[in-house]
Amino acid sequence: MEEKLDFEERPENNERKRSLEYISKLIENARKLNKQDDLINLLEIQKLINRKKYGLVWEEHEEIVDHEMAKQIPVFTEDIKKKINGVKNDSHYNFLLVGDNLHSLHLLQKTHYERINVVYIDPPYNTGSKDFKYNDEYIDNNDRYVHSKWISFMYRRLKIAKQLLTHDGVMLISIDNNEYANLKLLMDQIFPNGYVTTIHVEMSTVQGMKVRSAKNGNIVKNAEYILVYSKDGHHNVMKHPLYNRTNYDRHYNQFLTKENNYYNCRPISEVLQKHQDITRQLEALGLVNKGHSLSNSKIGIYYDSSELVREFINKNADLVVRDHTSITIKNNVDYLEGKVYPYFNGKRKYLIQKNKDGIYTQKIPFSTKLGKSDDFKPEYGPLKIRGDWWKDFYLDMGNVNKEGGVKLSNGKKPLRLIKQLLKATSDKNDIILDFFAGSGTTGQAVEDLNKEDGGHRSFILATNNEGNIAEKITYKRMLNINDGYASHESTPINLKYLKTDHVDKNSDTLETDLLKYVKTLIELQHGIDFENSSFRIVTKRNQITRLDLKNVTSVYMRGRVHRMMIPFEQERYELANVKIIDIPEEFFGEELREWI
């Protein structure tokens, strides 16, 4: 009998077990001797040993903003001069939040907890070439913590962003191969079971300097990635699939002609043969020898090569069919063998044909394959649903610097790419957040998409103002699309420009100080502008009676003031059909001293 090896698959597990047992004895001894300092240190060591061993492990780093928020509470203040009021009779507003996006995300926790439908971000790729700053210093490849600083930076922001998503919300993140692996593990940790797919976007081709690199044996980089995650783990995030143009499917080679209550079915080549203009064009193209019959097996070649064939088939797409699967018939109609009949099952219509064995099969019309593609140059023709390979976006890169009327030297994404991501994953009334807004492409994508499909999506853009990017690029782009400068056609928008400020946590008048800023939070929460809406705000007792209730539907009121209303005042508001809403305590309450 073969001797069984004394083999441990995870020998380190025993080492860990022995270490924990030893630490437990030391902890017990420290408790007995009341050695508090030793006890605290030993418990910390025990915690470190117990820390999970699978997944992404990194050195955690603090940020300057962490220290700021330990002493100060971030607030929003509006730059009134930068308000864009492009849609005069619409009280709905979009928002540009300017400041460290960690501040903005913390404030959005108050106003948009579980309300964001889609988050798209294009964070710094951490290439080492001055694209990523940590604590006001650019990180290069010589920094021993080059990856852990980036991970720490992203982890804080992504954790909050998850809380902002609706239960079925979707997050889309652009990235390249510098941090793809780390970001994938990080997102798997934050969104357990939330991974949907990685979209590969063709952003360049092998040309120019890349040709030499490829000839030297390198595999050149042509694609970037978009990580796709859903909050609740559902995978069918493509609510509205995208389509690419494809070649003709030669199986669509039959043609229906109407006879009484059925159709005769014959090869489409016979039908095309009767059109002399079509046969002459095919002969001129060298696809058919003069005087010869058309081939049914070459219909795909004819369609892709001949404009006249395409016109005829597209025009008669409901009558051009292919064989499909068998179908069970539930009525007692005596269908003739070989004839094609319309058959209704509930609200669905089928085309069916009985064969010599009495089995019914379906006919699928070519019209189900036809439509306008989502390619760089949209075409009408046969389509295929796009998967995780998004080709030809390098074609957009030649014009990307001109999009929106603003230039961004590094990282500007094509408008078509962001618009198609949002077209696929959002519905018409969704809220879209981009907290690495950069050149503002996401804002324009939302507005262009609304214009195309009549939607009412809204956007929130968050960016810092390093190098005046918020003013000179992000905000400038919003002005451009509103005025029509960017595309020679205006897309009127309403936008409020909010900047982050701070209130000292140790202030003796903290609640009063914070109440000065609740207006902007309420406006952000509801996507409104108090000056152009039926909403009003009351924070002081004497404002209750002074407020003109004409054309007012809702009043946001400090809870303490609301409770002080006397019956006469309450009756006045009720008669005016005005709803009183208490301002949330988390907007201004004394408890914010302990916040964060």
Side-chain angles (χ1 to χ4, degrees):
M1 183 176 178
E2 187 177 338
E3 184 179 352
K4 187 176 180 181
L5 293 174
D6 185 15
F7 173 72
E8 279 287 341
E9 185 180 18
R10 295 176 59 202
E12 73 280 0
N13 200 42
N14 285 338
E15 295 172 8
R16 179 170 173 272
K17 183 179 178 182
R18 284 196 298 269
S19 298
L20 285 170
E21 287 173 350
Y22 181 65
I23 291 293
S24 295
K25 290 177 181 177
L26 292 178
I27 289 172
E28 186 62 29
N29 191 49
R31 282 199 176 103
K32 287 179 180 177
L33 298 175
N34 199 27
K35 294 184 176 181
Q36 289 301 313
D37 289 344
D38 289 350
L39 182 61
I40 291 170
N41 290 327
L42 288 167
L43 288 170
E44 183 63 26
I45 293 170
Q46 184 185 56
K47 180 181 175 182
L48 290 170
I49 295 174
N50 269 317
R51 184 173 290 174
K52 69 172 187 155
K53 298 300 179 184
Y54 174 77
L56 188 63
V57 179
W58 71 93
E59 292 280 350
E60 294 188 25
H61 303 268
E62 282 194 309
E63 292 182 59
I64 292 172
V65 289
D66 291 318
H67 292 285
E68 289 176 346
M69 288 188 288
K71 299 177 180 179
Q72 297 177 317
I73 299 169
V75 293
F76 282 131
T77 179
E78 183 180 3
D79 188 336
I80 299 293
K81 294 179 180 178
K82 289 186 172 66
K83 180 164 67 175
I84 301 174
N85 188 17
V87 190
K88 303 298 181 184
N89 16 338
D90 187 355
S91 61
H92 175 265
Y93 275 74
N94 302 290
F95 290 81
L96 174 56
L97 314 179
V98 180
D100 193 293
N101 59 9
L102 190 58
H103 289 153
S104 294
L105 288 167
H106 275 297
L107 287 166
L108 285 168
Q109 276 183 303
K110 299 181 179 184
T111 61
H112 284 78
Y113 181 77
E114 295 190 342
R115 291 185 57 211
I116 303 292
N117 303 97
V118 179
V119 170
Y120 168 78
I121 56 171
D122 181 21
Y125 284 6
N126 201 21
T127 61
S129 57
K130 292 190 174 182
D131 72 319
F132 171 52
K133 263 189 175 182
Y134 196 84
N135 287 342
D136 296 330
E137 290 186 2
Y138 282 112
I139 305 301
D140 60 30
N141 292 325
N142 296 320
D143 191 318
R144 62 182 295 193
Y145 299 113
V146 58
H147 294 293
S148 61
K149 286 181 179 177
W150 187 88
I151 295 166
S152 292
F153 175 84
M154 293 298 296
Y155 178 65
R156 287 181 177 88
R157 289 153 178 82
L158 292 171
K159 267 206 319 181
I160 301 173
K162 180 185 178 182
Q163 296 176 21
L164 304 181
L165 285 172
T166 58
H167 73 281
D168 59 348
V170 176
M171 185 175 291
L172 311 159
I173 310 177
S174 287
I175 200 68
D176 77 349
N177 52 10
N178 284 282
E179 293 291 358
Y180 171 81
N182 286 328
L183 181 61
K184 173 68 169 59
L185 287 172
L186 183 63
M187 287 295 289
D188 288 343
Q189 185 169 314
I190 298 171
F191 288 76
N193 304 314
Y195 177 66
V196 177
T197 192
T198 299
I199 296 172
H200 298 69
V201 185
E202 188 181 21
M203 297 293 278
S204 64
T205 58
V206 183
Q207 58 186 8
M209 296 298 291
K210 289 190 175 185
V211 173
R212 181 184 298 177
S213 179
K215 287 182 176 179
N216 287 335
N218 294 304
I219 300 175
V220 298
K221 175 184 160 225
N222 290 332
E224 293 185 6
Y225 315 110
I226 297 174
L227 278 167
V228 183
Y229 280 77
S230 67
K231 187 173 179 179
D232 64 1
H234 76 285
H235 282 202
N236 52 333
V237 300
M238 298 290 276
K239 298 177 179 179
H240 313 284
L242 301 171
Y243 295 88
N244 294 122
R245 179 76 159 78
T246 189
N247 292 330
Y248 189 84
D249 182 348
R250 61 183 178 82
H251 293 98
Y252 287 93
N253 58 12
Q254 303 166 42
F255 194 86
L256 304 180
T257 53
K258 183 72 172 171
E259 288 285 343
N260 299 321
N261 65 330
Y262 60 82
Y263 296 93
N264 286 317
C265 185
R266 53 188 181 140
I268 192 172
S269 57
E270 292 182 7
V271 179
L272 294 174
Q273 187 82 47
K274 293 183 177 182
H275 295 264
Q276 292 185 2
D277 55 341
I278 290 177
T279 56
R280 281 197 296 267
Q281 187 175 74
L282 292 174
E283 288 170 0
L285 291 168
L287 298 175
V288 178
N289 292 326
K290 192 170 184 179
H292 285 66
S293 298
L294 304 188
S295 170
N296 220 40
S297 63
K298 294 182 178 179
I299 293 303
I301 298 173
Y302 300 159
Y303 182 93
D304 292 332
S305 306
S306 165
E307 182 180 347
L308 293 177
V309 172
R310 282 198 299 277
E311 286 179 359
F312 179 85
I313 290 179
N314 289 351
K315 184 178 179 180
N316 296 281
D318 286 333
L319 301 174
V320 178
V321 298
R322 63 164 293 177
D323 290 322
H324 196 49
T325 55
S326 60
I327 184 172
T328 302
I329 303 304
K330 296 181 179 179
N331 59 32
N332 297 318
V333 177
D334 186 18
Y335 295 112
L336 297 174
E337 180 186 323
K339 306 301 181 182
V340 177
Y341 291 84
Y343 168 72
F344 293 89
N345 186 3
K347 293 183 179 181
R348 289 197 61 182
K349 177 185 176 181
Y350 299 86
L351 292 171
I352 61 170
Q353 183 182 45
K354 184 170 73 173
N355 65 20
K356 62 181 181 179
D357 298 319
I359 297 173
Y360 291 91
T361 57
Q362 299 178 59
K363 301 286 187 183
I364 302 298
F366 180 60
S367 56
T368 61
K369 292 277 287 184
L370 277 177
K372 190 175 182 181
S373 75
D374 294 296
D375 296 313
F376 177 72
K377 291 183 178 178
E379 292 183 76
Y380 183 81
L383 305 175
K384 63 178 178 181
I385 294 179
R386 188 186 299 173
D388 64 3
W389 172 242
W390 289 31
K391 66 184 182 71
D392 292 347
F393 278 91
Y394 68 90
L395 295 170
D396 299 77
M397 297 307 291
N399 190 54
V400 73
N401 265 336
K402 297 178 183 177
E403 289 182 349
V406 295
K407 292 183 179 180
L408 187 68
S409 58
N410 188 24
K412 191 176 182 184
K413 290 294 183 289
L415 176 62
R416 182 170 70 98
L417 173 62
I418 310 307
K419 190 159 69 171
Q420 291 192 355
L421 284 170
L422 299 181
K423 175 183 177 181
T425 59
S426 74
D427 287 323
K428 291 184 178 182
N429 294 303
D430 282 356
I431 302 175
I432 318 296
L433 169 65
D434 180 352
F435 54 92
F436 286 97
S439 66
T441 307
T442 300
Q444 184 173 355
V446 170
E447 291 306 309
D448 282 6
L449 198 53
N450 284 340
K451 191 170 185 179
E452 288 179 10
D453 66 10
H456 299 280
R457 300 170 190 83
S458 59
F459 65 81
I460 300 172
L461 306 180
T463 181
N464 60 31
N465 200 23
E466 183 184 329
N468 287 327
I469 186 174
E471 294 180 32
K472 292 183 177 180
I473 296 179
T474 323
Y475 175 70
K476 176 64 175 170
R477 186 171 193 164
M478 299 303 102
L479 276 177
N480 287 345
I481 65 173
N482 183 65
D483 297 338
Y485 171 79
S487 60
H488 307 294
E489 185 178 356
S490 66
T491 306
I493 64 170
N494 288 341
L495 180 90
K496 292 176 80 69
Y497 187 108
L498 307 185
K499 298 183 292 187
T500 51
D501 201 347
H502 299 88
V503 169
D504 188 348
K505 282 187 177 182
N506 294 319
S507 169
D508 293 332
T509 56
L510 183 63
E511 285 196 6
T512 303
D513 294 344
L514 289 172
L515 276 169
K516 297 174 185 176
Y517 301 97
V518 296
K519 175 176 173 288
T520 53
L521 287 179
I522 295 170
E523 288 179 326
L524 176 61
Q525 185 177 48
H526 294 281
I528 62 168
D529 175 34
F530 270 108
E531 304 303 319
N532 297 291
S533 75
S534 60
F535 289 69
R536 297 292 182 270
I537 187 167
V538 168
T539 60
K540 297 179 180 178
R541 177 74 183 82
N542 59 9
Q543 293 173 332
I544 293 176
T545 53
R546 291 205 310 242
L547 183 64
D548 183 0
L549 299 182
K550 185 178 180 181
N551 299 322
V552 174
T553 60
S554 301
V555 171
Y556 274 85
M557 192 176 293
R558 186 178 181 180
R560 184 188 304 170
V561 173
H562 187 186
R563 291 189 294 274
M564 293 173 67
M565 290 180 73
I566 61 176
F568 165 76
E569 294 166 337
Q570 291 175 344
E571 186 179 2
R572 187 170 84 93
Y573 279 69
E574 288 171 4
L575 289 173
N577 201 25
V578 172
K579 182 180 180 181
I580 299 175
I581 305 169
D582 285 349
I583 300 170
E585 288 287 323
E586 60 266 28
F587 285 10
F588 68 94
E590 184 70 26
E591 294 78 10
L592 288 172
R593 291 190 194 276
E594 309 301 323
W595 185 46
I596 304 173

